[in-house]
């Protein structure tokens, strides 16, 4: 079964085919020095492609591709997630990092409480 073509619309307005390898190369920078394998990056790119295809649109904004990367990256490696999010969400201060870390701590505490009940 062949999947329909999926195009990514960049900020410039140019459109190009969705590329798992571009997702991997963008995320690889955030994962530099982290214990993340090439297989894990390939699986992340697959999850991202599946998520953007679920939108049902033939064209998707590059910003939405970035949003689709955040959750699987958070599940893969929290440090890489913070690195990627800091660039993607344009962190400008230590307070931005603090807020993101507090959000992760709150989510972690919530999931720890669910597991212990």
């Amino acid at each position: 079964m062949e999947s329909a073509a999926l195009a990514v619309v960049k900020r410039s307005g140019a459109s190009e085919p969705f590329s798992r390898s571009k997702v991997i190369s963008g995320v690889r920078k955030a994962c530099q020095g982290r214990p993340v394998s090439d297989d894990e990056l390939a699986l992340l790119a697959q999850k991202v492609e599946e998520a953007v295809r679920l939108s049902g649109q033939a064209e998707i904004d590059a910003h939405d591709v970035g949003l689709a990367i955040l959750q699987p990256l958070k599940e893969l490696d929290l440090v890489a997630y913070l690195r990627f999010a800091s660039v993607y969400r344009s962190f400008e201060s230590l307070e931005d990092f603090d807020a993101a870390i507090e959000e992760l701590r709150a989510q972690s505490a919530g999931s720890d409480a669910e597991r212990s009940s």
Side-chain angles (χ1 to χ4, degrees):
M1 182 174 131
E2 190 174 314
S3 21
L6 178 64
V8 177
V9 180
K10 298 166 72 169
R11 275 184 266 173
S12 67
S15 182
E16 63 182 43
F18 178 87
S19 165
R20 286 186 189 182
S21 62
K22 279 198 161 191
V23 170
I24 291 169
S25 78
V27 173
R28 180 172 273 130
K29 293 172 189 145
C31 294
Q32 200 164 12
R34 302 298 303 154
V36 175
S37 71
D38 287 344
D39 287 345
E40 289 170 314
L41 289 176
L43 183 58
L44 180 140
Q46 179 183 339
K47 287 178 181 179
V48 170
E49 182 174 6
E50 289 169 0
V52 297
R53 284 190 182 281
L54 282 175
S55 74
Q57 300 173 325
E59 287 191 335
I60 189 157
D61 190 78
H63 181 78
D64 293 333
V65 174
L67 288 175
I69 289 171
L70 289 172
Q71 186 59 41
L73 185 56
K74 185 190 293 186
E75 294 165 6
L76 180 62
D77 187 278
L78 290 177
V79 171
Y81 165 79
L82 280 172
R83 289 174 177 170
F84 187 87
S86 72
V87 173
Y88 184 74
R89 292 168 47 193
S90 302
F91 287 10
E92 294 181 7
S93 67
L94 288 176
E95 288 76 20
D96 292 336
F97 279 96
D98 282 342
I101 291 168
E102 282 306 313
E103 180 182 316
L104 290 173
R105 283 188 177 133
Q107 289 171 359
S108 176
S111 60
D112 288 348
E114 284 176 20
R115 275 187 240 126
S116 64
S117 34

